[in-house]
Amino acid sequence: NPHCRIFTAAALHSHSDVTLDSEQAHYLRSVMRLTAGSHITLFNGHGGEFDAEITCLDKTGAYCALSAFHDVDREMACPVHIIQAACRSEKIEHVLQKGTELGAARFTIVRSERSSLKLSGSKLNSRLKRWQKIIVEAAEQSGRTRLPEIAWCDSLTDIPAAAEITATELAFVLHPEAATPWSELRDELKAATAISLAIGPEGGFSPRDLQTLTNGGFLPLCFGPRIMRSETAAPALLAALTAIA
């Protein structure tokens, strides 16, 4: 099945062998029903992907022989950084899954004044591992050849100031009452070399949060006449950016 794509952190080279771990072997055997001799696609997030044949498949691992390398690029021409205010965990997972499918280059989950989610220590490490797994699975499914980065910030003040970056790197905070509508920014968005989008939690960004972001150089942006749920905004914006690219 050439459409079975697997991510591995291993170094990959044409005409070499690589071993996938027991969890991946279980997926190939029990979920995809593959056997020795089956063909899959492997990628390691450094760009491109490899054809591979499973030479041996058991409970301990999957042993694969790599053949051709395909230097494909399915990434967005302009990297998009999603800054998602921390909200309920299932909503964050939705943003990560759909955002990865739609091409986001980077995610930062950040505590805001109205955020309900607090994470630190081992609980944060555990959650980051889960979020990384969701990103990997979405990248495998969607044909991504690079993995989006994922990070956690305890405060909006830790987000890099937009004022420190170049004129073609744009930064916006989504706000339904913003003076600048999406329709007026299409030319700037098409010419951008990088875009950061800050999206509030369930109750939206507080006035203090908005002030922090605008002080940092984020331009308030209105995306249409309707108010979206927190987990809807990032996928909607990514799809719109893809359409005008």
Side-chain angles (χ1 to χ4, degrees):
N1 182 358
H3 300 293
C4 180
R5 302 180 75 253
I6 298 292
F7 169 79
T8 174
L12 299 177
H13 305 282
S14 294
H15 310 296
S16 65
D17 299 323
V18 68
T19 303
L20 304 179
D21 62 33
S22 58
E23 185 178 341
Q24 291 170 316
H26 171 78
Y27 171 77
L28 293 171
R29 290 170 64 241
S30 302
V31 179
M32 297 305 295
R33 303 292 182 184
L34 300 183
T35 60
S38 296
H39 292 269
I40 61 174
T41 298
L42 295 179
F43 69 106
N44 61 4
H46 297 299
E49 59 192 19
F50 291 81
D51 294 334
E53 180 181 347
I54 300 172
T55 55
C56 181
L57 182 58
D58 57 31
K59 291 181 180 179
T60 64
Y63 307 90
C64 304
L66 275 62
S67 51
F69 171 70
H70 302 282
D71 190 15
V72 294
D73 182 7
R74 303 187 184 101
E75 302 305 304
M76 295 180 73
C78 173
V80 179
H81 177 198
I82 299 297
I83 301 163
Q84 175 69 51
C87 50
R88 280 172 27 206
S89 190
E90 66 271 18
K91 293 178 182 284
I92 293 174
E93 292 180 6
H94 178 88
V95 169
L96 296 176
Q97 183 190 66
K98 302 309 175 189
T100 298
E101 290 176 23
L102 287 160
R106 184 178 168 201
F107 299 98
T108 298
I109 313 302
V110 60
R111 284 271 303 158
S112 65
E113 195 168 356
R114 295 173 179 166
S115 290
S116 55
L117 184 67
K118 294 181 180 180
L119 293 173
S120 62
S122 61
K123 193 171 183 181
L124 172 59
N125 290 335
S126 175
R127 196 62 60 88
L128 283 169
K129 285 182 181 177
R130 174 165 174 77
W131 290 343
Q132 181 71 20
K133 188 170 187 287
I134 289 166
I135 287 171
V136 166
E137 289 174 352
E140 289 174 337
Q141 178 272 322
S142 61
R144 295 284 298 268
T145 55
R146 297 187 183 275
L147 292 185
E149 299 174 18
I150 175 73
W152 168 270
C153 270
D154 285 315
S155 170
L156 284 168
T157 56
D158 296 333
I159 300 295
E164 297 173 3
I165 56 184
T166 68
T168 56
E169 295 180 23
L170 306 179
F172 302 99
V173 51
L174 196 64
H175 185 50
E177 299 170 12
T180 307
W182 172 271
S183 57
E184 291 183 10
L185 292 167
R186 291 173 67 95
D187 290 342
E188 290 93 331
L189 290 165
K190 287 179 75 170
T193 57
I195 298 172
S196 294
L197 299 169
I199 296 158
E202 286 97 335
F205 283 123
S206 69
R208 189 184 304 171
D209 289 336
L210 285 169
Q211 192 65 54
T212 298
L213 287 164
T214 53
N215 286 348
F218 284 75
L219 177 70
L221 172 68
C222 176
F223 187 63
R226 293 170 297 280
I227 298 173
M228 292 177 284
R229 290 180 181 270
S230 182
E231 71 274 23
T232 305
L237 286 160
L238 285 161
L241 287 169
T242 299
I244 66 172

